[in-house]
Amino acid sequence: MAEEKKDIMIQFQDVEKYYGSFHALKKVNLTIDRGETVVLIGPSGSGKSTLIRAINGLEPIQEGHLTVNGFDIHDPKTDINKIRKRVGMVFQHFNLYNNKSVLENVMLAPRIVNHIPEEENEKYALDLLDRVGLKDKAGSMPSMLSGGQKQRVAIARSLAMKPLALLFDEPTSALDPEMIGDVLRIIQEIANDSDLTSLIVTHEMNFARKVANRVIFMADGQILEDSKTEDFFNKPTSERAQQFVDQVLDH
Amino acid sequence: MAEEKKDIMIQFQDVEKYYGSFHALKKVNLTIDRGETVVLIGPSGSGKSTLIRAINGLEPIQEGHLTVNGFDIHDPKTDINKIRKRVGMVFQHFNLYNNKSVLENVMLAPRIVNHIPEEENEKYALDLLDRVGLKDKAGSMPSMLSGGQKQRVAIARSLAMKPLALLFDEPTSALDPEMIGDVLRIIQEIANDSDLTSLIVTHEMNFARKVANRVIFMADGQILEDSKTEDFFNKPTSERAQQFVDQVLDH
Amino acid sequence: MMIIAASIFDAFTPSNINYLLGGLGITIGVSIISVIASLVIGAFVGVIMYEKVPFLSRYVTIINDVIRNLPLLLIIFFIYFVLPRIGLYLPVFWATVIAMTVFESTMLAEIIRGGLLAVPAGQTEGARSVGMSNAQALMHIVLPQGIKKMIPPIISQLISLVKDTSLAVGIVLAEMTFRGQIVYAQNSNYTIPVFIALAIMYFILNFGLSLIAKWFDRRMAA
Amino acid sequence: RNARHVDTWERVQRLGAIRWGVKADTKLFGLMNTKSGEPEGFDVDIAKALTVQLSKQSGVPMRADFTVVTSNTRIQLLKNANIDGFIATATITPEREKIIDFSNSYFKAGQAILVKDGSGIKNVRSLNNSKSTILGVVGSNSVINIKKFAPKARVLALGDYGQAMAALKAGQGQALTTDNGILYGLATENPGYSVVGGTFTTEPYGVAYDNHQTAMVKQTNRALKAIIANGTYNRLIRKWFRGVPGLNWRSLER
Amino acid sequence: MINLLTSNFGAFLTAFGYTVLSSIIALIASLILGTLFAILQIVPSRIARGIARIYVEVFRNIPLLIIVMFFYLVGTRVIALDGFTAGTIGLSLYTSAFIAETVRAGINAVDIGQTEGARANGLSFSQTLRIIVLPQAYKIAIPSLGNQFINLVKNSSILAFVAGGDLMYTANNVAAATFDSFNSYIIVGIFYLIITLPLSYYMKYLEAKTKGLAKEDS
Ligand SMILES: Nc1ncnc2c1ncn2[C@@H]1O[C@H](COP(=O)(O)OP(=O)(O)OP(=O)(O)O)[C@@H](O)[C@H]1O
Ligand SMILES: Nc1ncnc2c1ncn2[C@@H]1O[C@H](COP(=O)(O)OP(=O)(O)OP(=O)(O)O)[C@@H](O)[C@H]1O
Ligand SMILES: NC(=O)CC[C@H](N)C(=O)O
Ligand SMILES: [Mg+2]
Ligand SMILES: [Mg+2]
């Protein structure tokens, strides 16, 4: 498996995922190259979170191969933490460590996982907080931040591990409308960084249009559409996708 | 107070509201006539929920007069349940009774508050569920419904008390994007019912534009703007409102 | 009622009061040692049950469930009768400490397991998603947050422990309740006043503890 | 089987002390003095006298230490090696002799009943009906014996004599049964309650040791003879039982 | 062990019956009392809240042994209470203090939105409490009520001290008569586990189920 083509970052081959008897991912095939920015959309319950969490090993798969950065996640010999170190994840509900300050949230994993020297670690963490506009909140506890601020810290926390890929699971859907803009702007900046691979689940269609190279549409655990962004928004091939886009853009 | 002009439904006169030492509503003056549809917007924490909850007596006010349907809410002699019977409220998180079926949710208050005969009550409840498109879910428990369905049941539940006014506090902001349309459509139908007074907090600007007679903009506990809908969207007078509208419409 | 009132004065001579207070010392002594021992063991067992280590967690959980579902009184008697069979000859004080520790550590283990489970899954996921190991996530993220939720039930369990030392009366530990019995053995008219005095002393001790716990809890929350 | 008791006689000489189990809740025999923290009573004094005599016999100076026991725990404390022996109003019975050793009898008691004056109960036979409840203490053979004399009555076993007496006063039963000596102790402080009907069993008290302590038992029997011979025994009988109403202390002398 | 069990089978079985009976009576009584004192703690009357607080604190902070002794020796002077009755009353009052706390916590854990929804819908305070909040509070409290019940069964062993005829009392008597303490206590231990273990596993199952549901909800 380590002989994958060098420019493939994430590859699903006939992946099947079950929750008990519920079939959540059905024969999923998907290849994402290094540096790509891919947006994943689809109705609620279609399996978007399941797919994205599988990449990070948060959900085990039952069948098929899922190769991330050259390692097969489904192979029991693979050390999942090796993958996670290089693949960051940003959650809908932020999942900041409630018991740690903002700065500690960013510094903890580099310190205890990558053993970065304290000084270097702090400097980089503060740089990142600066980049997301929150250097002045370094000493605050998560509970004192607004949703938008929390999400920006979560993004900085992921970046601190110098990831090759970042996964975003509805990063703005728990935010007040006013806060959404700031977070999307930062995600866009990160995605434009040509080295980084991004996979983003979102309902913000305008944003998707601006940022994505490709759009993937899922329904009922299947990938129904995988197209260039402009093609997708001009005319989705499947009726289900058309219907979805209409509904989301309607009001 | 009962000699208010007959066509005024809700009137705030120099209302002040504190949470402990926090000044949440500052000298609020506002008059809403019977049959009007008013949209209330403003940034997070500006006091929109506080204002709307005060009308229903869910939050006590400290100063001023707040007259609803001719009764002064701030007067200790007023029986708040008399007002609540005629003023319905729809919440962001639906607040359906989790321990009652859909039909029971709708029938409970008319039965135990208004003592409507069982048969008549059930007939009307089923009519309402039909109106919101959920007659077939009458026997379901709330936990089996999607967010959009829950909110439609909540609307039916409010209507069952034959209210003079309905208050909506961000009725769609906890919903999946696909579900929002249906709920907004029903709210619009209700608002167009010329007898009913509606006060709606929402971030859905397109909807606001379609449904409202007037738009009220709040920030920091104050009403900064109170204009005809078209006037507001063409050119808000305050800079703060302009900025807010830009931000919400931006992405 | 007359008898009670009259015998209150007779029952509480300075030497009797002293004697009872000496029992309070033993009650507190047994409690403190058992608290510390059962917190350590309970934390260990609780984490094993939470972590789902293959085999180990399963058997530890079964043993824990059996013990915590037995009456403490029974465990006290049982331990007391069993220890010599396995060659352990202990003074009553230590037999009580062992019985209390065996029982209370199973109760605490259950509380600790529950507290860890109550930390939202998102916290573990956040930690795991940046490459932390299970142990690192537990130590740095889950445990510190779980402890906050565990404190109130732990405190009430510890208050139970203090009350439960009264059961050691069955194996003649000279704690407060037993000494109460000795006092009324002098004159059986003292029986009722002594029980009232015991009730008051336990109440002060435990209510005091719960006030301290509340204060502590508020400080933690702030 | 009992490592620390392999040989009690050898052990007490080695340590220069005998740890006696005595009662602390039984008037006349063993009752705690809360001022001194030391138990006092006939059994306690016998223990002291025996210790002195046993010291003489062995030539090793020995101290008497006291540990509190109750009817329900005395045998277990012996088995747990918390004590070397007990002198605690314990009747020598064949059942007990299977698991522990007894010296010769040092006191002859008999089981009786204590009732409220004017209750109309004259003896144990008047309790033999299903309406009667008889109170006793867990671990005493009295609650087992009584079933032979009043098989129809209900028997309730409480934790100690204080509780049993309080229960009798509270009306939880019509009679309290145990050995006459213990009952006289309770009767002295509770006017209005009397021992009635005389004794209906014989209860020879013995000094108890763990199983197979032949040496210790032999030495104890020798010591018992000695303290009877030198008048100590009768002095103790006088000290504790003279003036107890209803009790003929002279008959107890040896 | 088998010998001891068969030769005293009748006694153990009767004792088991007493333990079960006392537990069931105390469960029902303490649920009723506990709910009452939980409600008193949330009504808008300071006096009611104060009385409820005192009740709960008193019964929570005094050992059950002493409460039971009190009813057995003192309470019985008011109306005759035998050991079983006095023990069961003590057990009920003691447990009700804990149940009051559990039910109160359950009430507090019901989403405030449920109350607001009901009040906004025109229901009165007591209607809201009775019809909407309490049923949900009980549901939330089930795991913890279950644990209280298990504790109650275990605590019923206190009846031994007042000759309540229960399992523990019988174990003590059999042990004293046969000198076979080891096996007597093992036998009653098994009898206790027959009641408590299935309950405890059922509670764990419920806990797992509600947790699973909560996950799907969010
Ligand atoms: N832990 C779980 N156990 C059982 N079923 C689950 C679990 N997690 C998700 N599912 C089910 O799997 C399906 C896909 O869920 P998933 O969360 O991936 O959907 P999604 O596309 O992310 O939806 P949303 O837009 O609501 O986040 C849903 O039907 C969901 O109910
Ligand atoms: N119960 C409360 N106690 C103390 N402060 C409160 C309470 N409820 C609201 N506040 C504060 O009052 C202010 C106004 O709150 P309110 O909920 O009315 O705002 P809002 O405009 O509805 O905001 P959002 O758009 O986030 O719902 C906020 O600063 C909030 O923190
Ligand atoms: N309770 C007692 O110790 C006295 C009763 C009786 N002599 C016995 O040995 O059991
Ligand atoms: Mg999802
Ligand atoms: Mg609000």
Side-chain angles (χ1 to χ4, degrees):
Chain A
M1 279 302 133
E3 282 116 298
E4 288 295 331
K5 282 212 335 262
K6 262 279 168 292
D7 54 346
I8 295 183
M9 182 66 207
I10 298 167
Q11 186 166 39
F12 285 72
Q13 290 170 294
D14 296 333
V15 168
E16 309 274 356
K17 158 82 194 174
Y18 294 83
Y19 291 112
S21 64
F22 180 77
H23 202 167
L25 293 183
K26 297 174 187 158
K27 227 185 193 9
V28 167
N29 281 288
L30 172 64
T31 306
I32 298 175
D33 290 339
R34 279 176 210 278
E36 261 195 305
T37 300
V38 178
V39 161
L40 178 57
I41 64 177
S44 179
S46 56
K48 307 181 295 295
S49 297
T50 304
L51 186 146
I52 212 169
R53 289 161 59 86
I55 298 173
N56 207 14
L58 287 173
E59 294 291 353
I61 60 172
Q62 276 76 42
E63 293 287 334
H65 292 288
L66 170 46
T67 319
V68 180
N69 194 26
F71 297 97
D72 186 348
I73 278 207
H74 194 29
D75 182 346
K77 288 197 295 291
T78 305
D79 177 1
I80 193 83
N81 282 339
K82 282 238 175 71
I83 297 169
R84 286 179 178 150
K85 274 200 242 184
R86 311 310 307 273
V87 179
M89 177 131 182
V90 175
F91 301 85
Q92 179 176 7
H93 293 287
F94 334 125
N95 295 356
L96 291 188
Y97 313 138
N98 295 329
N99 57 327
K100 304 272 178 194
S101 71
V102 165
L103 186 61
E104 269 300 303
N105 260 277
V106 181
M107 287 173 64
L108 186 64
R111 179 191 306 132
I112 68 176
V113 177
N114 287 348
H115 308 290
I116 306 294
E118 198 61 11
E119 214 169 317
E120 181 188 335
N121 190 10
E122 179 164 344
K123 191 170 164 307
Y124 190 56
L126 288 171
D127 275 1
L128 287 171
L129 287 176
D130 199 18
R131 197 160 144 199
V132 300
L134 289 171
K135 199 168 180 173
D136 55 320
K137 297 282 182 191
S140 305
M141 293 306 283
S143 58
M144 294 155 66
L145 305 182
S146 74
Q149 293 172 325
K150 282 185 192 165
Q151 197 57 297
R152 286 185 277 151
V153 174
I155 292 171
R157 179 174 77 176
S158 291
L159 290 175
M161 294 295 284
K162 307 201 169 143
L164 298 171
L166 264 184
L167 312 168
F168 296 87
D169 193 359
E170 304 199 23
T172 60
S173 59
L175 300 181
D176 284 324
E178 275 190 301
M179 310 272 169
I180 294 175
D182 289 340
V183 172
L184 290 182
R185 224 163 290 128
I186 287 167
I187 296 176
Q188 192 169 357
E189 272 173 42
I190 294 169
N192 287 347
D193 177 339
S194 62
D195 285 351
L196 198 77
T197 312
S198 313
L199 179 56
I200 309 169
V201 177
T202 182
H203 291 297
E204 299 290 341
M205 292 301 150
N206 294 331
F207 164 76
R209 214 157 179 157
K210 268 188 285 183
V211 76
N213 307 123
R214 262 158 74 200
V215 173
I216 292 166
F217 176 77
M218 284 187 81
D220 291 328
Q222 289 174 305
I223 292 182
L224 293 191
E225 201 134 342
D226 180 350
S227 339
K228 283 249 162 72
T229 308
E230 273 321 295
D231 296 349
F232 182 86
F233 283 106
N234 287 342
K235 183 74 198 141
T237 49
S238 72
E239 206 182 311
R240 189 79 185 76
Q242 180 69 59
Q243 193 188 339
F244 177 80
V245 174
D246 286 353
Q247 238 165 341
V248 171
L249 289 177
D250 180 29
H251 42 85
Chain B
M1 279 301 138
E3 285 116 296
E4 288 295 332
K5 281 208 339 257
K6 263 278 169 291
D7 54 348
I8 294 182
M9 181 67 206
I10 299 166
Q11 186 165 44
F12 285 73
Q13 289 170 298
D14 296 332
V15 168
E16 308 275 355
K17 158 80 194 175
Y18 295 82
Y19 291 113
S21 64
F22 179 78
H23 202 165
L25 293 181
K26 297 173 187 161
K27 225 183 195 13
V28 167
N29 282 289
L30 173 65
T31 306
I32 298 174
D33 290 339
R34 278 176 211 278
E36 258 193 309
T37 300
V38 178
V39 161
L40 177 57
I41 64 176
S44 177
S46 56
K48 307 181 295 296
S49 296
T50 305
L51 185 145
I52 213 169
R53 288 160 60 87
I55 297 171
N56 208 13
L58 286 174
E59 295 290 352
I61 60 172
Q62 275 77 43
E63 292 289 333
H65 293 289
L66 170 47
T67 319
V68 180
N69 194 28
F71 297 98
D72 187 347
I73 277 206
H74 194 32
D75 183 344
K77 288 199 293 293
T78 304
D79 176 2
I80 194 81
N81 277 344
K82 283 238 176 71
I83 296 170
R84 285 180 178 148
K85 276 200 245 183
R86 310 310 306 272
V87 179
M89 176 132 181
V90 175
F91 301 84
Q92 179 176 4
H93 294 286
F94 334 124
N95 296 354
L96 292 188
Y97 310 139
N98 295 326
N99 57 330
K100 302 276 176 193
S101 71
V102 164
L103 186 63
E104 269 301 302
N105 260 277
V106 180
M107 288 174 64
L108 185 67
R111 179 191 306 132
I112 69 176
V113 178
N114 287 349
H115 308 288
I116 306 295
E118 199 61 9
E119 214 170 320
E120 179 186 340
N121 191 11
E122 178 165 341
K123 190 170 166 305
Y124 191 56
L126 287 171
D127 276 1
L128 286 171
L129 285 176
D130 200 16
R131 199 162 144 197
V132 299
L134 290 171
K135 199 167 181 175
D136 55 324
K137 298 282 181 190
S140 305
M141 294 305 283
S143 58
M144 293 155 68
L145 304 184
S146 74
Q149 293 171 327
K150 282 184 193 168
Q151 196 60 297
R152 286 184 276 152
V153 174
I155 292 171
R157 180 175 76 177
S158 292
L159 291 175
M161 294 294 284
K162 306 199 170 147
L164 298 171
L166 264 184
L167 311 169
F168 296 86
D169 192 0
E170 305 200 24
T172 61
S173 58
L175 299 182
D176 283 322
E178 278 190 300
M179 311 273 171
I180 294 177
D182 288 342
V183 173
L184 291 182
R185 223 163 292 129
I186 287 168
I187 297 176
Q188 191 169 358
E189 273 173 41
I190 294 169
N192 287 348
D193 176 340
S194 63
D195 285 351
L196 197 77
T197 313
S198 313
L199 179 56
I200 309 169
V201 177
T202 184
H203 291 295
E204 301 287 342
M205 291 302 151
N206 294 330
F207 165 76
R209 212 158 180 159
K210 271 187 284 185
V211 77
N213 306 124
R214 262 158 72 198
V215 173
I216 293 165
F217 176 77
M218 285 188 79
D220 291 329
Q222 288 173 308
I223 292 180
L224 293 191
E225 201 133 344
D226 182 349
S227 339
K228 282 249 162 70
T229 308
E230 272 322 296
D231 297 349
F232 182 85
F233 283 107
N234 288 340
K235 183 76 200 141
T237 47
S238 71
E239 204 182 314
R240 188 78 186 78
Q242 180 69 60
Q243 192 187 338
F244 176 80
V245 173
D246 287 351
Q247 239 166 340
V248 171
L249 289 178
D250 182 26
H251 41 85
Chain C
M1 279 298 141
M2 285 283 285
I3 308 166
I4 299 176
S7 46
I8 282 177
F9 297 101
D10 301 339
F12 299 117
T13 61
S15 64
N16 283 354
I17 290 174
N18 252 340
Y19 188 68
L20 278 180
L21 288 177
L24 180 66
I26 292 179
T27 295
I28 293 174
V30 169
S31 303
I32 288 177
I33 301 172
S34 314
V35 162
I36 293 169
S38 47
L39 273 176
V40 172
I41 298 171
F44 196 69
V45 173
V47 168
I48 289 176
M49 295 197 296
Y50 170 79
E51 278 296 348
K52 304 204 164 61
V53 189
F55 299 111
L56 185 63
S57 296
R58 196 143 152 242
Y59 293 114
V60 167
T61 305
I62 291 175
I63 295 170
N64 204 71
D65 284 340
V66 167
I67 297 176
R68 80 188 165 85
N69 281 302
L70 288 170
L72 173 58
L73 187 56
L74 186 85
I75 291 172
I76 290 177
F77 274 108
F78 190 75
I79 294 255
Y80 182 64
F81 289 117
V82 161
L83 287 179
R85 292 198 163 205
I86 57 168
L88 262 180
Y89 302 102
L90 289 176
V92 175
F93 183 89
W94 291 106
T96 311
V97 166
I98 289 181
M100 301 293 289
T101 303
V102 165
F103 179 77
E104 299 294 344
S105 54
T106 63
M107 300 295 279
L108 289 172
E110 196 57 27
I111 291 172
I112 286 161
R113 183 189 74 98
L116 291 175
L117 280 177
V119 176
Q123 292 291 313
T124 316
E125 290 184 350
R128 298 308 302 276
S129 75
V130 283
M132 283 190 216
S133 69
N134 224 352
Q136 286 174 325
L138 181 71
M139 283 309 297
H140 294 275
I141 309 302
V142 181
L143 209 54
Q145 294 185 44
I147 281 175
K148 276 196 184 171
K149 306 195 188 209
M150 296 167 204
I151 283 191
I154 285 181
I155 296 288
S156 56
Q157 190 59 43
L158 297 184
I159 289 177
S160 284
L161 191 156
V162 176
K163 285 184 295 180
D164 290 347
T165 55
S166 66
L167 298 179
V169 73
I171 59 170
V172 292
L173 176 69
E175 46 66 67
M176 201 152 64
T177 309
F178 184 76
R179 290 190 176 209
Q181 298 187 353
I182 298 291
V183 168
Y184 65 65
Q186 299 169 354
N187 183 325
S188 54
N189 288 333
Y190 299 171
T191 313
I192 291 159
V194 163
F195 273 114
I196 292 172
L198 286 177
I200 292 171
M201 275 157 61
Y202 277 109
F203 181 82
I204 291 172
L205 183 61
N206 289 319
F207 189 63
L209 270 179
S210 69
L211 288 184
I212 294 171
K214 263 191 202 133
W215 173 83
F216 194 72
D217 209 34
R218 261 201 302 274
R219 255 187 56 137
M220 290 269 298
Chain D
R1 213 185 62 187
N2 196 338
R4 289 226 230 153
H5 275 272
V6 169
D7 188 291
T8 307
W9 177 235
E10 187 273 326
R11 193 182 168 284
V12 294
Q13 292 182 82
R14 184 158 40 81
L15 296 184
I18 307 179
R19 289 168 311 157
W20 294 109
V22 295
K23 302 190 81 174
D25 64 347
T26 309
K27 220 167 196 171
L28 301 179
F29 292 91
L31 184 68
M32 183 63 76
N33 178 336
T34 57
K35 199 176 271 169
S36 63
E38 291 292 326
E40 294 166 354
F42 178 71
D43 280 351
V44 179
D45 282 349
I46 290 285
K48 287 178 181 162
L50 284 178
T51 309
V52 171
Q53 187 57 35
L54 287 166
S55 293
K56 275 189 203 147
Q57 284 165 217
S58 70
V60 180
M62 286 190 275
R63 196 176 69 241
D65 289 342
F66 293 104
T67 299
V68 172
V69 303
T70 63
S71 300
N72 197 30
T73 59
R74 53 196 172 191
I75 293 178
Q76 192 57 34
L77 280 157
L78 200 55
K79 293 283 172 200
N80 284 17
N82 289 340
I83 52 179
D84 299 309
F86 61 73
I87 305 181
T89 67
T91 305
I92 305 165
T93 69
E95 293 80 22
R96 286 175 182 163
E97 284 196 295
K98 283 183 199 146
I99 54 165
I100 54 176
D101 284 359
F102 280 106
S103 70
N104 294 335
S105 168
Y106 68 89
F107 185 84
K108 215 161 242 101
Q111 188 169 343
I113 55 170
L114 178 74
V115 298
K116 192 175 180 144
D117 293 348
S119 66
I121 298 165
K122 296 207 168 54
N123 54 39
V124 68
R125 277 180 305 281
S126 22
L127 290 167
N128 188 21
N129 57 61
S130 59
K131 284 198 291 288
S132 294
T133 301
I134 305 170
L135 305 165
V137 166
V138 205
S140 70
N141 66 347
S142 325
V143 289
I144 299 167
N145 290 340
I146 191 71
K147 291 190 179 126
K148 289 186 222 120
F149 294 90
K152 292 200 186 125
R154 218 152 77 96
V155 179
L156 299 180
L158 289 140
D160 60 57
Y161 289 110
Q163 278 172 31
M165 188 65 219
L168 179 67
K169 286 183 170 172
Q172 296 290 4
Q174 289 76 48
L176 169 55
T177 187
T178 187
D179 301 339
N180 53 350
I182 301 172
L183 292 180
Y184 284 125
L186 290 170
T188 51
E189 74 201 23
N190 291 292
Y193 288 84
S194 315
V195 181
V196 297
T199 60
F200 48 92
T201 67
T202 50
E203 304 287 332
Y205 289 175
V207 182
Y209 298 107
D210 201 5
N211 237 352
H212 312 304
Q213 300 302 334
T214 5
M216 190 73 198
V217 171
K218 227 171 84 195
Q219 294 293 339
T220 305
N221 287 338
R222 228 179 100 194
L224 257 178
K225 269 199 196 109
I227 62 171
I228 291 170
N230 70 17
T232 311
Y233 183 86
N234 282 348
R235 189 167 54 74
L236 294 179
I237 290 284
R238 262 200 309 282
K239 171 176 172 194
W240 288 103
F241 299 109
R242 186 167 63 183
V244 175
L247 195 69
N248 179 6
W249 61 274
R250 288 204 175 276
S251 71
L252 296 170
E253 282 187 336
R254 292 197 181 171
Chain E
M1 190 173 108
I2 302 290
N3 279 342
L4 189 70
L5 179 62
T6 45
S7 56
N8 293 285
F9 193 71
F12 281 124
L13 207 63
T14 313
F16 183 69
Y18 277 120
T19 292
V20 169
L21 186 64
S22 169
S23 301
I24 289 175
I25 296 172
L27 172 73
I28 295 168
S30 59
L31 266 179
I32 294 169
L33 280 173
T35 303
L36 183 75
F37 283 102
I39 292 172
L40 284 182
Q41 285 185 70
I42 58 158
V43 297
S45 151
R46 282 180 76 121
I47 297 170
R49 284 204 305 267
I51 290 172
R53 255 349 282 167
I54 291 172
Y55 177 88
V56 168
E57 293 298 352
V58 163
F59 283 103
R60 266 196 338 165
N61 287 306
I62 296 177
L64 176 57
L65 171 60
I66 289 172
I67 296 170
V68 166
M69 278 295 170
F70 186 81
F71 280 98
Y72 188 63
L73 298 178
V74 183
T76 191
R77 290 166 195 236
V78 184
I79 25 164
L81 304 169
D82 61 13
F84 179 85
T85 314
T88 305
I89 292 175
L91 198 55
S92 305
L93 297 186
Y94 179 79
T95 309
S96 73
F98 291 87
I99 288 190
E101 290 297 271
T102 302
V103 173
R104 188 173 66 114
I107 291 173
N108 288 339
V110 174
D111 185 1
I112 182 73
Q114 294 290 310
T115 305
E116 291 185 345
R119 299 308 303 274
N121 209 202
L123 271 61
S124 69
F125 178 83
S126 73
Q127 286 171 327
T128 305
L129 190 64
R130 219 175 50 240
I131 303 170
I132 306 302
V133 178
L134 267 184
Q136 296 186 53
Y138 279 128
K139 212 168 158 198
I140 293 172
I142 279 178
S144 140
L145 284 174
N147 285 331
Q148 296 300 347
F149 184 44
I150 293 169
N151 282 339
L152 188 158
V153 174
K154 295 193 287 174
N155 286 337
S156 71
S157 61
I158 211 81
L159 264 66
F161 284 104
V162 289
D166 68 314
L167 280 172
M168 193 69 203
Y169 176 71
T170 304
N172 285 337
N173 285 337
V174 171
T178 61
F179 307 111
D180 189 357
S181 321
F182 185 80
N183 285 316
S184 318
Y185 290 122
I186 291 213
I187 289 170
V188 297
I190 293 170
F191 273 112
Y192 279 111
L193 289 177
I194 288 174
I195 318 175
T196 54
L197 256 193
L199 260 172
S200 159
Y201 279 114
Y202 184 60
M203 289 308 147
K204 275 199 173 172
Y205 159 80
L206 279 184
E207 206 179 310
K209 213 175 86 175
T210 46
K211 243 193 133 88
L213 283 178
K215 214 170 208 173
E216 270 173 48
D217 239 2
S218 62

